């Protein structure tokens, strides 16, 4: 700098202050941002309709394609100035101000702030939030009601018809988490709106797919064309989006393409067990005998898996371990699906919520804030 040998640097406070927010980036995010192909960052928050029912979702988040970070404002006892070099000016006879080119540079504060924004990695699941934005779909209604709208559903966020793209944009989560939750719920888009199918609807689609595949000699345990399978059940009246969603839900992510899929055995067996329980509860609101459940679960499996696993008769009782967390035993001989089963993770535990993450992040923020009080530590050390 031109004034590095001077005893002081002229400093001024700009009359017209600019507006800035200081964002402190964690190393895990800073590194990819400095890479040759940095990820796209976006700041998201919930739509007003959802935030009214879930106040915690009103917080803004910063998202990369694969990560979600909650924003936390941290106050500081010191004022932070954003400065930039500025040349000294002198007024000419004409009244105009022109810079002095003598090298007498100075610093000018163009903005100030007493807080910074910290980022805290969020592991919250998008499933509870996504459910609020989806319209219910039930193809098993035995009256003339529209299967695309359950009339018993209260009016609210889910009464708004929106596309998948606009649904994701109203969710304070990264794209990867939105996609994962969408797939887990077997959500689908149809005619410009997004739907959450009932367990009975999903099971009806699976039965139709399984029956048609057997009749046509299609091995679902090997790669198959998704459209070919859809074409076989098209006459059954299922929306194409729902058929494809069911196929994607029980298929291996590694073997999936735009047009191809391949069933994942463990994923499919486990999902069918959950669906059998959920469907029975949905239809009867009663408990199911454990032996009967094991029989129904086995009957829903592709025939090849029954032979490969030597499953003769009901499903082995040991298989219940794969559904741990999704069911309870009201009696020693009965079984029931747990409430809000569709919000559980693959491990059968409740999805992380924004409240849990907020609590953790709040504790972290307090720790970060105490670390900022360096002047107090310095003062104590001098005593």
């Amino acid at each position: 700098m031109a004034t590095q040998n001077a005893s002081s640097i002229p400093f001024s406070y700009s009359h017209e202050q600019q507006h800035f927010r200081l964002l402190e980036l964690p190393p895990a995010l800073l590194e990819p941002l400095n890479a040759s192909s940095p990820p796209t960052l976006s700041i998201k928050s919930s739509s007003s309709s959802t935030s009214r029912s879930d106040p915690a979702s009103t917080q803004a988040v910063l998202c990369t394609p694969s990560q979600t970070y909650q924003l936390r404002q941290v106050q500081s006892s010191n004022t932070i100035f954003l400065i930039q070099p500025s040349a000294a000016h002198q007024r000419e006879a004409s009244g105009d101000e022109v810079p002095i080119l003598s090298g007498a540079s100075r610093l000018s504060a163009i903005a100030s702030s007493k807080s910074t924004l910290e980022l805290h990695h969020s592991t919250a699941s998008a499933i509870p939030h996504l459910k609020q934005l989806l319209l219910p779909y039930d193809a098993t209604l035995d009256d003339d009601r529209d299967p695309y709208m359950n009339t018993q559903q209260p009016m609210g966020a889910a009464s708004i018809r929106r596309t998948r793209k606009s649904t994701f944009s109203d969710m304070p989560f990264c794209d990867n988490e939105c996609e994962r939750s969408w797939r887990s719920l077997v959500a689908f888009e149809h005619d410009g709106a997004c739907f959450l199918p009932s367990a009975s609807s999903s099971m009806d689609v699976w039965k139709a797919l399984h029956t048609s595949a057997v009749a046509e000699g299609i091995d679902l345990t090997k790669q198959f064309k998704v459209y070919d399978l859809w074409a076989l059940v098209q006459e059954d009246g299922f929306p194409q989006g729902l058929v494809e969603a069911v196929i994607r839900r029980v298929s291996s992510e590694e073997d999936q393409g735009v047009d191809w899929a391949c069933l994942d055995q463990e994923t499919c067996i486990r999902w069918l067990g959950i669906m059998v329980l959920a469907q029975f509860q949905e239809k009867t609101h009663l408990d199911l005998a454990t032996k009967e459940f094991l029989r129904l679960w086995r009957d829903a499996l592709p025939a090849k898996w029954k032979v490969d696993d030597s499953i003769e008769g009901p499903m082995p009782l040991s298989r219940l371990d794969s559904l741990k967390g999704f069911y309870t035993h009201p009696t020693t001989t009965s079984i029931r699906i747990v409430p809000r089963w569709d919000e559980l993770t693959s491990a059968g535990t409740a999805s992380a919520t924004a409240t849990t993450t907020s609590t953790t992040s709040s504790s972290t923020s307090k720790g970060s804030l105490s670390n900022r009080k360096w002047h107090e530590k310095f003062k104590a050390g001098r005593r």
Side-chain angles (χ1 to χ4, degrees):
M1 183 179 292
T3 57
Q4 61 184 357
N5 295 323
S7 59
S8 63
I9 299 177
F11 180 83
S12 62
Y13 191 83
S14 177
H15 178 68
E16 295 183 0
Q17 291 286 287
Q18 301 182 33
H19 298 284
F20 288 93
R21 297 302 301 270
L22 301 179
L23 185 63
E24 186 174 330
L25 300 178
L29 182 56
L30 189 59
E31 184 176 347
L33 285 178
N34 288 325
S36 56
S37 300
T40 301
L41 300 183
S42 58
I43 294 180
K44 302 175 67 178
S45 62
S46 304
S47 62
S48 57
S49 54
T50 355
S51 36
R52 282 195 296 268
S53 57
D54 182 12
S57 66
T58 58
Q59 296 176 335
V61 298
L62 184 141
C63 296
T64 69
S66 59
Q67 302 291 334
T68 303
Y69 294 89
Q70 290 192 342
L71 295 171
R72 291 287 181 270
Q73 180 171 284
V74 179
Q75 298 292 335
S76 174
S77 57
N78 302 308
T79 300
I80 302 171
F81 290 101
L82 187 63
I83 62 177
Q84 69 178 17
S86 62
H89 290 73
Q90 67 180 8
R91 186 178 297 277
E92 292 188 334
S94 61
D96 296 332
E97 288 190 350
V98 295
I100 300 174
L101 303 178
S102 62
S105 298
R106 62 179 64 192
L107 296 179
S108 177
I110 61 173
S112 62
S113 174
K114 284 196 172 185
S115 65
T116 59
L117 294 176
E118 286 186 344
L119 298 181
H120 297 278
H121 184 250
S122 172
T123 58
S125 170
I127 290 178
H129 193 98
L130 178 57
K131 285 174 61 179
Q132 298 181 54
L133 302 176
L134 299 175
L135 292 164
Y137 172 89
D138 189 356
T140 63
L141 295 174
D142 54 4
D143 53 30
D144 294 331
R145 284 179 292 167
D146 184 356
Y148 292 100
M149 176 62 76
N150 186 342
T151 55
Q152 297 178 350
Q153 178 75 8
M155 297 297 287
S159 64
I160 303 174
R161 296 178 67 90
R162 65 188 94 206
T163 63
R164 171 172 164 154
K165 182 177 180 180
S166 63
T167 297
F168 284 8
S169 67
D170 282 341
M171 297 174 59
F173 299 92
C174 65
D175 290 345
N176 280 14
E177 176 56 28
C178 292
E179 290 285 354
R180 188 199 67 79
S181 299
W182 178 274
R183 172 188 169 117
S184 178
L185 291 174
V186 198
F188 68 98
E189 184 177 0
H190 177 81
D191 195 23
C194 297
F195 297 90
L196 175 65
S198 63
S200 298
S201 298
S202 297
M203 279 299 290
D204 286 349
V205 170
W206 165 255
K207 291 175 183 176
L209 289 171
H210 183 211
T211 302
S212 299
V214 171
E216 296 296 325
I218 299 176
D219 187 352
L220 297 179
T221 63
K222 297 180 180 179
Q223 276 201 338
F224 57 86
K225 292 197 71 172
V226 175
Y227 182 83
D228 290 347
L229 213 54
W230 144 248
L232 294 178
V233 299
Q234 185 175 4
E235 294 182 357
D236 293 330
F238 298 116
Q240 183 175 357
L242 175 57
V243 174
E244 294 179 353
V246 170
I247 294 174
R248 302 296 182 190
R249 179 62 180 81
V250 295
S251 296
S252 168
E253 292 189 43
E254 292 76 16
D255 294 331
Q256 282 191 40
V258 178
D259 302 317
W260 297 83
C262 175
L263 297 192
D264 179 81
Q265 182 169 341
E266 284 305 312
T267 300
C268 186
I269 290 177
R270 191 166 179 276
W271 181 77
L272 288 173
I274 296 171
M275 286 296 103
V276 168
L277 276 178
Q279 181 184 32
F280 186 84
Q281 177 67 24
E282 197 173 77
K283 286 185 173 182
T284 67
H285 303 286
L286 300 174
D287 302 331
L288 179 61
T290 304
K291 279 190 175 181
E292 177 64 9
F293 162 65
L294 293 173
R295 184 190 67 79
L296 293 173
W297 188 8
R298 176 189 181 276
D299 290 346
L301 301 181
K304 182 178 180 179
W305 291 346
K306 300 174 190 177
V307 176
D308 291 346
D309 291 348
S310 300
I311 301 176
E312 298 178 0
M315 184 79 79
L317 193 62
S318 60
R319 270 290 186 177
L320 282 177
D321 290 342
S322 65
L323 306 184
K324 188 175 181 180
F326 284 88
Y327 66 87
T328 59
H329 285 298
T331 67
T332 56
T333 59
S334 63
I335 191 171
R336 169 190 286 261
I337 194 79
V338 298
R340 300 172 67 177
W341 55 268
D342 52 357
E343 295 182 15
L344 301 181
T345 65
S346 57
T349 56
S351 303
T353 61
T355 303
T356 304
T357 309
S358 297
T359 304
T360 306
S361 300
S362 178
S363 301
T364 308
S365 297
K366 291 179 181 178
S368 301
L369 188 57
S370 63
N371 292 335
R372 291 172 179 274
K373 297 180 179 179
W374 56 270
H375 55 285
E376 294 182 2
K377 296 180 180 179
F378 178 74
K379 182 179 180 181
R382 296 183 58 185
R383 291 176 180 174

